[in-house]
Amino acid sequence: MFDIVVIGAGVSGSAFCRFIDKKYKILLVDRRNITQKTTAKTCGGLLSERGQKAMLSLGLELPSSCLAKEQVFGIRAIDFDSNKERFYQKRYFNFKKEEFDYYLLEKSLPNIDFREEDYLKSAQFQKDHIKLELKSGTIKTKFLVSAEGASSMLRRHFYKPCSSYYTAIQEEFKSNKDMPYHLASFDSKVTDFYSWIIPKDGRLLVGSALADQPNEKFELLKKSYQKLGLIDDIKPLKRTGAIITRPSHKDVYLGKNNLAFIGESAGLISPSSAEGISYALLSGYFLADSLNKGFSINNYLKKTNSFKRSILKNQIKSHIMYSNFWRSVIFSSGLLSTEMNIVK
Ligand SMILES: Cc1cc2nc3c(=O)[nH]c(=O)nc-3n(C[C@H](O)[C@H](O)[C@H](O)COP(=O)(O)OP(=O)(O)OC[C@H]3O[C@@H](n4cnc5c(N)ncnc54)[C@H](O)[C@@H]3O)c2cc1C
């Protein structure tokens, strides 16, 4: 019997394993292969200031092996609805998600059982334990952690899904010009969320979070980018996808009794920017700290209010950012933007 089983070795599950006490018998399960760094979850791989603050507060450094070759200094924002664009200086780290996931996990590997390329099929709560059906067989645990990300099966079964999900598509293209920024674009014909281009190790990641007709609308996006000369070709080198949550503060659910949710499966991701790394790191740490203090999630649940408040703040920001009217006013005013002389 395990003390704790964690489903998902993404950012939140790996952060949890890094901080949980060695006295517990832990099993971490992921359907992906993390140690070979071959199958990273689709992600832009930008560590925002919020993410950097979370790393700092947890005493985590970012090794250079995790960094992409190109670092960016800000955002180029294009509003296709009002035909305006602005540059905003921002401090990001541009990182490689597969390296980052492995870096977070590596130090805890000697203290835990790790089964990769294995997955959870079902969970049954018994009187004094939880019975889990994995691809590799049946196991028992006293405590279960869902770190499964946006498509959490445990959340759907034992609570309820978040109120809003998007399909994220990300394609990789050849890159042949300098891009010292990451591009964010808004186009109501494509999505009511946003689309992006991020330079990454000699390639451009072109992505979008799409509410409906994802394939058709992604093609539309690429044609707009091609027209602006941002990409040369619309045939990608590689294509990946993921579900992305766009929660309201009411969607935040951290668990009950011997089942806890961390990261995106808890509904912790910014509904305005889709920044999720900081929430995943902090929720993983707070749950570990709570269980270290007495095998209870009570302390973890006390943190709910600060997470909920943060999501609510981003929800309000989102209403302004994604209103065509307010965005056009902000772009016209040039508020907080940086003057640029673009060298053609
Ligand atoms: C396209 C895209 C771009 C993004 N870009 C950024 C960005 O640039 N910066 C930022 O801060 N945030 C970004 N995010 C959000 C960020 O990636 C997530 O919020 C963060 O990774 C959540 O971490 P997590 O640990 O909760 O889940 P995840 O990182 O999604 O990890 C979940 C893990 O659980 C595993 N899993 C799921 N179900 C099972 C199962 N049944 N059995 C076994 N394993 C299972 C999965 O394989 C996965 O490894 C982006 C998200 C998307 C979709």
Side-chain angles (χ1 to χ4, degrees):
M1 164 109 79
F2 289 98
D3 292 315
I4 303 167
V5 170
V6 185
I7 308 296
V11 177
S12 61
S14 297
F16 173 85
C17 289
R18 191 150 179 152
F19 294 107
I20 192 71
D21 210 298
K22 288 189 193 69
K23 70 185 175 205
Y24 295 124
K25 191 170 183 247
I26 312 278
L27 172 67
L28 174 65
V29 181
D30 201 297
R31 62 166 86 249
R32 294 184 295 130
N33 186 311
I34 313 268
T35 50
Q36 300 290 317
K37 305 172 196 167
T38 45
T39 50
K41 181 224 160 187
T42 307
C43 182
L46 290 175
L47 191 68
S48 66
E49 287 184 35
R50 227 190 107 89
Q52 294 166 38
K53 196 170 161 195
M55 297 278 286
L56 178 66
S57 68
L58 300 183
L60 297 172
E61 59 189 19
L62 186 65
S64 59
S65 57
C66 294
L67 292 178
K69 275 195 285 194
E70 311 83 352
Q71 291 303 310
V72 294
F73 309 113
I75 304 178
R76 176 180 180 182
I78 300 182
D79 186 352
F80 283 101
D81 292 317
S82 65
N83 243 334
K84 293 190 176 88
E85 81 168 19
R86 289 281 175 191
F87 285 83
Y88 299 92
Q89 189 187 358
K90 290 259 179 200
R91 281 186 288 272
Y92 288 109
F93 282 102
N94 190 9
F95 68 92
K96 297 180 269 193
K97 179 73 165 48
E98 64 286 5
E99 294 286 350
F100 186 66
D101 281 358
Y102 182 67
Y103 154 70
L104 284 176
L105 181 63
E106 194 183 7
K107 278 199 184 143
S108 39
L109 283 177
N111 312 321
I112 61 169
D113 282 329
F114 180 41
R115 294 190 196 169
E116 47 191 342
E117 296 185 44
D118 196 0
Y119 59 87
L120 177 71
K121 288 179 167 176
S122 66
Q124 276 182 327
F125 284 77
Q126 314 281 0
K127 212 168 142 219
D128 58 353
H129 69 271
I130 309 158
K131 195 172 136 194
L132 300 177
E133 197 72 50
L134 304 178
K135 184 188 107 188
S136 59
T138 305
I139 52 159
K140 289 178 184 176
T141 182
K142 293 179 197 156
F143 195 96
L144 180 58
V145 180
S146 163
E148 304 158 86
S151 43
S152 169
M153 181 180 93
L154 290 167
R155 180 173 174 126
R156 282 198 310 274
H157 272 72
F158 297 107
Y159 185 57
K160 58 182 179 189
C162 283
S163 46
S164 182
Y165 291 92
Y166 284 67
T167 305
I169 298 177
Q170 192 165 265
E171 291 187 346
E172 295 183 16
F173 293 86
K174 260 193 245 152
S175 157
N176 50 18
K177 30 188 177 278
D178 273 15
M179 197 172 175
Y181 50 78
H182 101 79
L183 184 138
S185 73
F186 308 90
D187 184 347
S188 50
K189 289 191 287 312
V190 174
T191 176
D192 60 358
F193 209 177
Y194 77 103
S195 311
W196 59 89
I197 302 183
I198 301 168
K200 192 87 65 185
D201 273 355
R203 291 188 175 187
L204 290 181
L205 306 185
V206 173
S208 186
L210 303 140
D212 57 22
Q213 298 172 280
N215 293 323
E216 292 85 338
K217 296 208 167 161
F218 195 72
E219 291 307 308
L220 203 65
L221 170 77
K222 285 195 291 182
K223 283 188 184 135
S224 304
Y225 282 171
Q226 195 183 26
K227 230 171 157 179
L228 280 183
L230 296 164
I231 51 174
D232 297 330
D233 192 4
I234 54 169
K235 231 176 127 216
L237 300 165
K238 188 178 168 190
R239 177 182 170 106
T240 59
I243 299 295
I244 190 162
T245 317
R246 198 176 184 191
S248 91
H249 65 290
K250 292 185 184 150
D251 289 318
V252 175
Y253 181 65
L254 301 189
K256 197 164 111 177
N257 302 329
N258 54 352
L259 172 62
F261 294 85
I262 54 180
E264 220 176 314
S265 74
L268 294 171
I269 180 169
S270 163
S272 57
S273 65
E275 190 280 323
I277 304 286
S278 65
Y279 293 104
L281 287 167
L282 291 173
S283 58
Y285 167 75
F286 285 132
L287 178 64
D289 187 54
S290 179
L291 293 175
N292 289 344
K293 285 182 177 143
F295 212 57
S296 146
I297 61 168
N298 290 346
N299 275 330
Y300 180 54
L301 297 181
K302 283 186 194 150
K303 302 285 173 187
T304 314
N305 288 334
S306 75
F307 285 144
K308 273 193 182 160
R309 272 200 304 275
S310 164
I311 299 289
L312 179 61
K313 218 171 88 190
N314 283 309
Q315 233 175 298
I316 296 165
K317 193 172 162 192
S318 176
H319 281 302
I320 300 167
M321 260 173 84
Y322 294 96
S323 135
N324 284 356
F325 172 74
W326 285 115
R327 202 170 52 242
S328 172
V329 169
I330 294 166
F331 271 58
S332 300
S333 75
L335 185 72
L336 302 175
S337 71
T338 308
E339 282 303 318
M340 293 286 296
N341 290 314
I342 304 194
V343 180
K344 299 268 180 199

